[in-house]
Amino acid sequence: MIYYKSVTIASLSLLLTILTGFIIWASIESNVIIGFREVSATRWGIATLVDIYISLTFIGVWIGVIEKSLKKGIIWTLSLFFWGNIATLIYIILRALKSSKPSDIFLPVK
């Protein structure tokens, strides 16, 4: 049963590395504020930003429910707003490390 844990952590770590690599690659071209201005200059850019922030808010609420803590939910939601899916991947890796079965990663532990 421990097999799921190592596969989950390895997969998420790979995704975290890829995402971090793309962020560094994009940062070489311009900083995040310039990128934000360029993205928000079009309707599709604004729609994309609204989409991602709705998704991140949902993930933050889910974390609050999983952790059974409003405070943790707010802290993780703010982290998500600043770090995006890097924070999501870190959270799920931390959950996988503490889990004793696959469902413990995504459902509240009883």
Side-chain angles (χ1 to χ4, degrees), residues 46-110:
I46 292 169
T48 300
L49 290 172
V50 169
D51 177 45
I52 191 70
Y53 279 96
I54 287 172
S55 300
L56 294 172
T57 302
F58 177 81
I59 293 168
V61 169
W62 169 72
I63 290 172
V65 169
I66 292 292
E67 296 293 334
K68 300 176 185 168
S69 167
L70 179 62
K71 182 179 175 182
K72 286 183 181 181
I74 291 170
I75 291 169
W76 274 102
T77 301
L78 293 174
S79 297
L80 289 160
F81 288 167
F82 287 107
W83 298 102
N85 282 313
I86 286 177
T88 304
L89 292 167
I90 290 169
Y91 178 77
I92 297 173
I93 288 169
L94 293 173
R95 288 289 295 189
L97 288 169
K98 294 189 290 186
S99 68
S100 58
K101 58 186 187 235
S103 62
D104 289 349
I105 298 171
F106 300 103
L107 299 173
V109 178
K110 295 179 183 180

